[in-house]
Short mmCIF file of all heavy atoms in Angstrom, two decimals:
data_model
loop_
_atom_site.label_atom_id
_atom_site.label_comp_id
_atom_site.label_asym_id
_atom_site.label_seq_id
_atom_site.Cartn_x
_atom_site.Cartn_y
_atom_site.Cartn_z
N PHE A 144 -0.47 2.13 5.05
CA PHE A 144 -0.36 3.48 4.41
C PHE A 144 -1.50 3.45 3.35
O PHE A 144 -1.85 2.46 2.77
CB PHE A 144 0.94 3.78 3.72
CG PHE A 144 2.02 3.97 4.78
CD1 PHE A 144 2.70 2.91 5.26
CD2 PHE A 144 2.47 5.27 5.10
CE1 PHE A 144 3.79 3.09 6.15
CE2 PHE A 144 3.42 5.52 5.95
CZ PHE A 144 4.13 4.36 6.51
N MET A 145 -1.98 4.64 3.01
CA MET A 145 -3.06 4.75 1.95
C MET A 145 -2.37 5.43 0.74
O MET A 145 -1.35 6.14 0.78
CB MET A 145 -4.22 5.75 2.41
CG MET A 145 -4.78 5.22 3.66
SD MET A 145 -5.71 3.71 3.49
CE MET A 145 -5.26 2.81 5.02
N ASN A 146 -2.93 5.25 -0.35
CA ASN A 146 -2.45 5.64 -1.81
C ASN A 146 -3.10 6.84 -2.22
O ASN A 146 -4.29 6.97 -2.21
CB ASN A 146 -2.76 4.46 -2.61
CG ASN A 146 -2.20 4.66 -4.10
OD1 ASN A 146 -1.43 5.56 -4.34
ND2 ASN A 146 -2.68 3.84 -4.99
N PRO A 147 -2.49 7.95 -2.70
CA PRO A 147 -0.99 8.08 -2.84
C PRO A 147 -0.41 8.48 -1.44
O PRO A 147 -0.84 9.32 -0.77
CB PRO A 147 -0.71 9.20 -3.74
CG PRO A 147 -2.12 9.85 -4.06
CD PRO A 147 -3.11 9.08 -3.32
N VAL A 148 0.70 7.78 -1.07
CA VAL A 148 1.26 7.89 0.26
C VAL A 148 1.61 9.35 0.64
O VAL A 148 1.23 9.79 1.77
CB VAL A 148 2.42 6.89 0.53
CG1 VAL A 148 2.98 7.00 1.95
CG2 VAL A 148 2.07 5.47 0.20
N PRO A 149 2.30 10.07 -0.24
CA PRO A 149 2.62 11.42 0.30
C PRO A 149 1.46 12.34 0.59
O PRO A 149 1.58 13.32 1.19
CB PRO A 149 3.45 12.01 -1.01
CG PRO A 149 3.85 10.75 -1.73
CD PRO A 149 2.78 9.79 -1.56
N VAL A 150 0.29 12.00 0.02
CA VAL A 150 -0.79 12.90 0.17
C VAL A 150 -1.87 12.38 1.26
O VAL A 150 -2.36 13.23 2.01
CB VAL A 150 -1.80 12.85 -1.15
CG1 VAL A 150 -2.93 13.70 -1.06
CG2 VAL A 150 -0.88 13.20 -2.41
N MET A 151 -2.02 11.10 1.50
CA MET A 151 -3.03 10.70 2.38
C MET A 151 -2.63 10.70 3.79
O MET A 151 -1.49 10.25 4.14
CB MET A 151 -3.51 9.27 2.05
CG MET A 151 -3.94 9.07 0.55
SD MET A 151 -5.26 10.18 0.06
CE MET A 151 -6.66 9.42 0.73
N ALA A 152 -3.48 11.14 4.69
CA ALA A 152 -3.06 11.43 6.23
C ALA A 152 -3.04 10.23 7.05
O ALA A 152 -2.45 10.19 8.08
CB ALA A 152 -3.98 12.56 6.68
N LEU A 153 -3.63 9.16 6.59
CA LEU A 153 -3.92 8.04 7.57
C LEU A 153 -2.82 6.90 7.49
O LEU A 153 -2.40 6.59 6.38
CB LEU A 153 -5.24 7.31 7.29
CG LEU A 153 -5.62 6.18 8.11
CD1 LEU A 153 -6.05 6.65 9.60
CD2 LEU A 153 -6.76 5.36 7.48
N VAL A 154 -2.46 6.43 8.63
CA VAL A 154 -1.88 4.99 8.69
C VAL A 154 -2.75 4.22 9.54
O VAL A 154 -2.98 4.57 10.82
CB VAL A 154 -0.35 5.06 9.16
CG1 VAL A 154 0.11 3.66 9.38
CG2 VAL A 154 0.50 5.69 8.15
N GLU A 155 -3.36 3.07 9.05
CA GLU A 155 -4.06 2.20 9.88
C GLU A 155 -3.08 1.19 10.51
O GLU A 155 -2.39 0.52 9.84
CB GLU A 155 -5.11 1.43 8.93
CG GLU A 155 -6.18 0.65 9.50
CD GLU A 155 -7.11 -0.02 8.61
OE1 GLU A 155 -6.66 -0.40 7.49
OE2 GLU A 155 -8.35 -0.05 8.82
N VAL A 156 -3.14 1.18 11.80
CA VAL A 156 -2.13 0.33 12.67
C VAL A 156 -2.93 -0.88 13.03
O VAL A 156 -3.87 -0.78 13.76
CB VAL A 156 -1.53 1.08 13.70
CG1 VAL A 156 -0.64 0.25 14.60
CG2 VAL A 156 -0.77 2.32 13.15
N ILE A 157 -2.45 -2.04 12.55
CA ILE A 157 -3.22 -3.26 12.86
C ILE A 157 -2.44 -4.18 13.78
O ILE A 157 -1.40 -4.60 13.56
CB ILE A 157 -3.56 -4.09 11.53
CG1 ILE A 157 -4.28 -3.09 10.52
CG2 ILE A 157 -4.40 -5.24 11.79
CD1 ILE A 157 -3.47 -2.73 9.32
N ARG A 158 -3.10 -4.61 14.88
CA ARG A 158 -2.54 -5.38 15.91
C ARG A 158 -2.85 -6.80 15.58
O ARG A 158 -4.08 -7.14 15.53
CB ARG A 158 -3.02 -4.99 17.23
CG ARG A 158 -2.56 -3.67 17.78
CD ARG A 158 -2.99 -3.46 19.21
NE ARG A 158 -2.24 -4.33 20.06
CZ ARG A 158 -1.58 -3.88 21.17
NH1 ARG A 158 -1.73 -2.55 21.50
NH2 ARG A 158 -0.89 -4.70 21.90
N GLY A 159 -1.85 -7.63 15.47
CA GLY A 159 -2.06 -9.00 15.38
C GLY A 159 -2.37 -9.60 16.68
O GLY A 159 -2.24 -8.80 17.70
N HIS A 160 -2.68 -10.98 16.74
CA HIS A 160 -3.01 -11.52 18.03
C HIS A 160 -1.99 -11.40 19.14
O HIS A 160 -2.23 -11.26 20.31
CB HIS A 160 -3.38 -13.04 17.83
CG HIS A 160 -3.94 -13.68 18.99
ND1 HIS A 160 -5.21 -13.36 19.41
CD2 HIS A 160 -3.67 -14.61 19.80
CE1 HIS A 160 -5.62 -14.08 20.40
NE2 HIS A 160 -4.57 -14.87 20.62
N HIS A 161 -0.56 -11.34 18.67
CA HIS A 161 0.47 -11.35 19.58
C HIS A 161 1.22 -10.06 19.54
O HIS A 161 2.22 -9.96 20.31
CB HIS A 161 1.38 -12.53 19.39
CG HIS A 161 0.85 -13.89 19.67
ND1 HIS A 161 0.54 -14.21 21.00
CD2 HIS A 161 0.65 -14.98 18.91
CE1 HIS A 161 0.13 -15.44 21.02
NE2 HIS A 161 0.16 -15.91 19.73
N THR A 162 0.81 -9.06 18.74
CA THR A 162 1.59 -7.74 18.66
C THR A 162 1.60 -7.10 20.05
O THR A 162 0.59 -7.00 20.78
CB THR A 162 0.84 -6.82 17.61
OG1 THR A 162 0.69 -7.55 16.54
CG2 THR A 162 1.73 -5.59 17.41
N SER A 163 2.83 -6.70 20.40
CA SER A 163 3.03 -6.10 21.82
C SER A 163 2.66 -4.68 21.78
O SER A 163 2.63 -4.05 20.71
CB SER A 163 4.42 -6.24 22.30
OG SER A 163 5.25 -5.37 21.46
N ASP A 164 2.39 -4.18 22.98
CA ASP A 164 2.16 -2.71 23.11
C ASP A 164 3.38 -1.92 22.68
O ASP A 164 3.26 -0.91 22.08
CB ASP A 164 1.88 -2.39 24.68
CG ASP A 164 0.59 -2.86 25.07
OD1 ASP A 164 -0.35 -3.30 24.21
OD2 ASP A 164 0.35 -3.03 26.26
N ALA A 165 4.57 -2.35 22.96
CA ALA A 165 5.83 -1.73 22.64
C ALA A 165 5.99 -1.58 21.14
O ALA A 165 6.35 -0.49 20.61
CB ALA A 165 7.05 -2.34 23.17
N THR A 166 5.60 -2.65 20.33
CA THR A 166 5.65 -2.62 19.03
C THR A 166 4.70 -1.67 18.35
O THR A 166 4.95 -0.87 17.43
CB THR A 166 5.32 -4.01 18.33
OG1 THR A 166 6.44 -4.92 18.81
CG2 THR A 166 5.36 -4.07 16.89
N THR A 167 3.52 -1.66 18.90
CA THR A 167 2.37 -0.70 18.47
C THR A 167 2.87 0.72 18.74
O THR A 167 2.63 1.58 17.80
CB THR A 167 1.03 -1.11 19.19
OG1 THR A 167 0.82 -2.49 19.09
CG2 THR A 167 -0.12 -0.23 18.69
N ALA A 168 3.43 0.96 19.90
CA ALA A 168 3.90 2.37 20.20
C ALA A 168 4.91 2.81 19.27
O ALA A 168 4.94 3.99 18.80
CB ALA A 168 4.32 2.34 21.63
N SER A 169 5.95 1.92 19.02
CA SER A 169 7.06 2.30 18.11
C SER A 169 6.59 2.68 16.72
O SER A 169 7.05 3.58 16.02
CB SER A 169 8.03 1.18 17.98
OG SER A 169 8.72 1.09 19.17
N VAL A 170 5.65 1.76 16.14
CA VAL A 170 5.22 1.93 14.71
C VAL A 170 4.30 3.16 14.62
O VAL A 170 4.48 3.98 13.79
CB VAL A 170 4.55 0.59 14.33
CG1 VAL A 170 3.67 0.82 13.06
CG2 VAL A 170 5.63 -0.43 13.97
N SER A 171 3.60 3.47 15.65
CA SER A 171 2.67 4.57 15.66
C SER A 171 3.56 5.86 15.73
O SER A 171 3.29 6.85 15.10
CB SER A 171 1.77 4.65 16.87
OG SER A 171 0.98 3.46 16.85
N GLU A 172 4.62 5.87 16.53
CA GLU A 172 5.57 6.92 16.54
C GLU A 172 6.31 7.17 15.24
O GLU A 172 6.35 8.34 14.84
CB GLU A 172 6.56 6.61 17.68
CG GLU A 172 7.38 7.96 17.98
CD GLU A 172 8.93 7.54 18.39
OE1 GLU A 172 9.09 6.73 19.29
OE2 GLU A 172 9.74 7.95 17.68
N ALA A 173 6.69 6.10 14.68
CA ALA A 173 7.30 6.34 13.25
C ALA A 173 6.30 6.88 12.26
O ALA A 173 6.73 7.80 11.46
CB ALA A 173 7.85 4.90 12.77
N ALA A 174 5.14 6.38 12.34
CA ALA A 174 4.02 6.97 11.35
C ALA A 174 3.87 8.46 11.69
O ALA A 174 3.75 9.26 10.75
CB ALA A 174 2.82 6.16 11.49
N ARG A 175 3.83 8.85 12.92
CA ARG A 175 3.62 10.14 13.25
C ARG A 175 4.66 11.08 12.82
O ARG A 175 4.54 12.18 12.35
CB ARG A 175 3.28 10.34 14.81
CG ARG A 175 1.93 9.92 15.17
CD ARG A 175 1.56 10.44 16.56
NE ARG A 175 2.28 9.67 17.55
CZ ARG A 175 1.82 8.53 18.15
NH1 ARG A 175 0.74 7.97 17.79
NH2 ARG A 175 2.58 7.94 19.02
N ARG A 176 5.98 10.50 13.01
CA ARG A 176 7.13 11.24 12.49
C ARG A 176 7.16 11.44 10.99
O ARG A 176 7.64 12.55 10.51
CB ARG A 176 8.37 10.44 12.82
CG ARG A 176 9.42 11.12 13.57
CD ARG A 176 10.57 10.26 13.80
NE ARG A 176 11.72 10.64 13.01
CZ ARG A 176 12.94 9.97 12.99
NH1 ARG A 176 13.02 8.84 13.59
NH2 ARG A 176 13.84 10.28 12.10
N MET A 177 6.33 10.56 10.26
CA MET A 177 6.21 10.80 8.81
C MET A 177 5.01 11.82 8.57
O MET A 177 4.43 11.77 7.40
CB MET A 177 5.96 9.50 8.14
CG MET A 177 7.10 8.61 8.12
SD MET A 177 6.90 7.09 7.22
CE MET A 177 7.65 5.82 8.26
N GLY A 178 4.40 12.37 9.55
CA GLY A 178 3.29 13.30 9.45
C GLY A 178 2.01 12.65 9.32
O GLY A 178 1.00 13.26 8.92
N LYS A 179 1.88 11.38 9.67
CA LYS A 179 0.65 10.78 9.49
C LYS A 179 -0.18 10.64 10.82
O LYS A 179 0.46 10.66 11.87
CB LYS A 179 0.82 9.29 8.95
CG LYS A 179 1.61 9.15 7.67
CD LYS A 179 0.96 9.98 6.56
CE LYS A 179 1.79 9.78 5.25
NZ LYS A 179 1.27 10.62 4.24
N THR A 180 -1.51 10.51 10.66
CA THR A 180 -2.35 10.25 11.80
C THR A 180 -2.60 8.77 11.84
O THR A 180 -2.85 8.12 10.85
CB THR A 180 -3.68 10.93 11.60
OG1 THR A 180 -3.41 12.39 11.52
CG2 THR A 180 -4.64 10.70 12.80
N THR A 181 -2.53 8.09 13.07
CA THR A 181 -2.68 6.67 13.08
C THR A 181 -4.02 6.38 13.78
O THR A 181 -4.54 7.09 14.57
CB THR A 181 -1.56 6.09 13.98
OG1 THR A 181 -1.55 6.65 15.25
CG2 THR A 181 -0.18 6.27 13.32
N VAL A 182 -4.62 5.26 13.29
CA VAL A 182 -5.78 4.74 13.88
C VAL A 182 -5.54 3.21 14.14
O VAL A 182 -5.05 2.53 13.27
CB VAL A 182 -7.00 4.89 13.05
CG1 VAL A 182 -8.25 4.15 13.60
CG2 VAL A 182 -7.41 6.36 12.80
N GLU A 183 -5.70 2.75 15.46
CA GLU A 183 -5.42 1.41 15.77
C GLU A 183 -6.71 0.52 15.60
O GLU A 183 -7.72 0.96 16.01
CB GLU A 183 -5.10 1.32 17.23
CG GLU A 183 -3.75 0.78 17.56
CD GLU A 183 -3.47 0.83 19.06
OE1 GLU A 183 -4.02 -0.05 19.77
OE2 GLU A 183 -2.73 1.75 19.45
N VAL A 184 -6.55 -0.54 14.85
CA VAL A 184 -7.59 -1.44 14.66
C VAL A 184 -7.07 -2.97 14.92
O VAL A 184 -5.88 -3.18 14.99
CB VAL A 184 -8.25 -1.40 13.22
CG1 VAL A 184 -8.51 0.07 12.84
CG2 VAL A 184 -7.28 -1.99 12.22
N ASN A 185 -8.12 -3.72 15.01
CA ASN A 185 -7.74 -5.13 15.30
C ASN A 185 -7.72 -6.02 13.97
O ASN A 185 -8.18 -5.58 12.87
CB ASN A 185 -8.72 -5.73 16.28
CG ASN A 185 -8.51 -5.24 17.71
OD1 ASN A 185 -7.29 -5.06 18.11
ND2 ASN A 185 -9.60 -4.92 18.34
N ASP A 186 -7.25 -7.21 14.16
CA ASP A 186 -6.87 -8.03 12.87
C ASP A 186 -8.10 -8.81 12.45
O ASP A 186 -8.28 -9.98 13.01
CB ASP A 186 -5.71 -8.92 13.30
CG ASP A 186 -5.16 -9.66 12.16
OD1 ASP A 186 -5.35 -9.21 11.00
OD2 ASP A 186 -4.38 -10.65 12.38
N TYR A 187 -8.87 -8.30 11.55
CA TYR A 187 -9.94 -9.04 10.87
C TYR A 187 -9.80 -8.75 9.37
O TYR A 187 -9.30 -7.75 8.99
CB TYR A 187 -11.31 -8.58 11.33
CG TYR A 187 -11.58 -9.17 12.75
CD1 TYR A 187 -11.29 -8.43 13.89
CD2 TYR A 187 -12.14 -10.40 12.87
CE1 TYR A 187 -11.62 -8.92 15.14
CE2 TYR A 187 -12.34 -10.91 14.18
CZ TYR A 187 -12.02 -10.14 15.21
OH TYR A 187 -12.28 -10.70 16.49
N PRO A 188 -10.30 -9.68 8.47
CA PRO A 188 -10.08 -9.41 7.04
C PRO A 188 -10.45 -8.06 6.51
O PRO A 188 -11.60 -7.61 6.75
CB PRO A 188 -10.96 -10.55 6.40
CG PRO A 188 -11.03 -11.60 7.46
CD PRO A 188 -11.03 -10.91 8.85
N GLY A 189 -9.44 -7.41 5.87
CA GLY A 189 -9.73 -6.07 5.30
C GLY A 189 -9.67 -5.02 6.38
O GLY A 189 -9.90 -3.79 6.03
N PHE A 190 -9.54 -5.26 7.64
CA PHE A 190 -9.46 -4.27 8.71
C PHE A 190 -10.62 -3.35 8.68
O PHE A 190 -11.76 -3.97 8.45
CB PHE A 190 -8.10 -3.58 8.62
CG PHE A 190 -6.90 -4.48 8.26
CD1 PHE A 190 -6.15 -4.17 7.16
CD2 PHE A 190 -6.73 -5.58 8.91
CE1 PHE A 190 -5.11 -4.89 6.70
CE2 PHE A 190 -5.69 -6.52 8.61
CZ PHE A 190 -4.87 -6.14 7.43
N VAL A 191 -10.54 -2.05 8.84
CA VAL A 191 -11.64 -1.23 8.63
C VAL A 191 -11.63 -0.67 7.25
O VAL A 191 -12.73 -0.69 6.52
CB VAL A 191 -11.51 -0.08 9.62
CG1 VAL A 191 -12.68 1.02 9.29
CG2 VAL A 191 -11.80 -0.52 11.07
N SER A 192 -10.48 -0.19 6.78
CA SER A 192 -10.39 0.48 5.51
C SER A 192 -11.04 -0.25 4.33
O SER A 192 -11.94 0.23 3.70
CB SER A 192 -8.88 0.88 5.28
OG SER A 192 -8.18 -0.38 5.29
N ASN A 193 -10.47 -1.47 4.15
CA ASN A 193 -10.96 -2.18 2.91
C ASN A 193 -12.24 -2.95 3.14
O ASN A 193 -12.85 -3.37 2.17
CB ASN A 193 -9.85 -3.07 2.37
CG ASN A 193 -8.81 -2.10 1.59
OD1 ASN A 193 -9.31 -1.36 0.82
ND2 ASN A 193 -7.59 -2.17 2.07
N ARG A 194 -12.60 -3.21 4.44
CA ARG A 194 -13.82 -3.79 4.59
C ARG A 194 -14.99 -2.94 4.19
O ARG A 194 -16.07 -3.34 3.77
CB ARG A 194 -13.98 -4.25 6.11
CG ARG A 194 -15.29 -4.90 6.35
CD ARG A 194 -15.21 -5.81 7.59
NE ARG A 194 -16.39 -6.44 7.91
CZ ARG A 194 -16.54 -7.25 9.02
NH1 ARG A 194 -15.52 -7.51 9.77
NH2 ARG A 194 -17.68 -7.80 9.13
N VAL A 195 -14.73 -1.66 4.39
CA VAL A 195 -15.84 -0.64 3.99
C VAL A 195 -15.63 -0.19 2.49
O VAL A 195 -16.63 0.01 1.88
CB VAL A 195 -15.69 0.55 4.98
CG1 VAL A 195 -16.65 1.65 4.67
CG2 VAL A 195 -15.96 0.10 6.35
N LEU A 196 -14.31 0.10 2.11
CA LEU A 196 -14.16 0.53 0.76
C LEU A 196 -14.40 -0.37 -0.36
O LEU A 196 -14.98 -0.04 -1.26
CB LEU A 196 -12.70 1.03 0.66
CG LEU A 196 -12.26 1.57 -0.72
CD1 LEU A 196 -13.07 2.84 -1.08
CD2 LEU A 196 -10.74 1.79 -0.78
N MET A 197 -13.92 -1.66 -0.26
CA MET A 197 -13.95 -2.61 -1.30
C MET A 197 -15.29 -3.02 -1.74
O MET A 197 -15.58 -3.13 -2.98
CB MET A 197 -13.12 -3.96 -1.09
CG MET A 197 -11.66 -3.67 -1.21
SD MET A 197 -11.30 -3.12 -3.02
CE MET A 197 -9.91 -1.95 -2.57
N PRO A 198 -16.31 -3.10 -0.81
CA PRO A 198 -17.75 -3.43 -1.32
C PRO A 198 -18.18 -2.33 -2.22
O PRO A 198 -18.96 -2.59 -3.18
CB PRO A 198 -18.51 -3.67 0.01
CG PRO A 198 -17.47 -4.08 1.00
CD PRO A 198 -16.21 -3.37 0.63
N MET A 199 -17.83 -1.14 -1.97
CA MET A 199 -18.37 -0.04 -2.75
C MET A 199 -17.73 -0.13 -4.18
O MET A 199 -18.43 -0.07 -5.16
CB MET A 199 -17.99 1.32 -2.19
CG MET A 199 -18.49 2.46 -3.10
SD MET A 199 -17.94 4.10 -2.52
CE MET A 199 -16.25 4.11 -2.88
N ILE A 200 -16.44 -0.51 -4.29
CA ILE A 200 -15.69 -0.58 -5.53
C ILE A 200 -16.30 -1.72 -6.30
O ILE A 200 -16.66 -1.69 -7.41
CB ILE A 200 -14.21 -0.75 -5.35
CG1 ILE A 200 -13.56 0.64 -4.94
CG2 ILE A 200 -13.55 -1.23 -6.52
CD1 ILE A 200 -12.24 0.66 -4.62
N ASN A 201 -16.52 -2.87 -5.53
CA ASN A 201 -17.07 -4.09 -6.29
C ASN A 201 -18.55 -3.75 -6.76
O ASN A 201 -18.85 -4.28 -7.85
CB ASN A 201 -17.21 -5.14 -5.13
CG ASN A 201 -17.09 -6.60 -5.80
OD1 ASN A 201 -16.56 -6.88 -6.77
ND2 ASN A 201 -17.84 -7.48 -5.01
N GLU A 202 -19.28 -3.06 -5.96
CA GLU A 202 -20.66 -2.77 -6.39
C GLU A 202 -20.69 -1.87 -7.63
O GLU A 202 -21.47 -2.05 -8.49
CB GLU A 202 -21.44 -2.09 -5.26
CG GLU A 202 -22.91 -2.24 -5.26
CD GLU A 202 -23.46 -3.71 -5.33
OE1 GLU A 202 -22.85 -4.55 -4.60
OE2 GLU A 202 -24.35 -3.93 -6.02
N ALA A 203 -19.71 -1.01 -7.71
CA ALA A 203 -19.58 -0.09 -8.89
C ALA A 203 -19.19 -0.96 -10.11
O ALA A 203 -19.81 -0.77 -11.19
CB ALA A 203 -18.50 0.97 -8.61
N ALA A 204 -18.44 -1.97 -9.91
CA ALA A 204 -18.06 -2.88 -11.06
C ALA A 204 -19.19 -3.65 -11.50
O ALA A 204 -19.50 -3.84 -12.67
CB ALA A 204 -16.99 -3.81 -10.70
N PHE A 205 -20.07 -4.19 -10.50
CA PHE A 205 -21.29 -4.85 -10.78
C PHE A 205 -22.26 -3.92 -11.61
O PHE A 205 -22.87 -4.39 -12.57
CB PHE A 205 -22.02 -5.40 -9.57
CG PHE A 205 -21.58 -6.82 -9.13
CD1 PHE A 205 -20.80 -6.94 -7.99
CD2 PHE A 205 -21.80 -7.89 -9.82
CE1 PHE A 205 -20.44 -8.21 -7.61
CE2 PHE A 205 -21.46 -9.14 -9.48
CZ PHE A 205 -20.71 -9.24 -8.31
#
Side-chain angles (χ1 to χ4, degrees):
F144 291 84
M145 304 292 136
N146 182 14
V148 181
V150 180
M151 306 303 284
L153 178 73
V154 171
E155 193 178 33
V156 174
I157 304 114
R158 294 187 69 129
H160 192 64
H161 290 296
T162 307
S163 70
D164 290 344
T166 297
T167 308
S169 291
V170 159
S171 302
E172 188 215 304
R175 283 194 292 271
R176 235 180 103 187
M177 291 185 222
K179 306 300 183 192
T180 298
T181 57
V182 173
E183 238 179 79
V184 308
N185 289 318
D186 188 19
Y187 285 93
F190 322 124
V191 172
S192 51
N193 284 308
R194 183 154 179 179
V195 176
L196 176 66
M197 280 303 146
M199 180 185 70
I200 287 178
N201 204 32
E202 205 56 39
F205 272 111

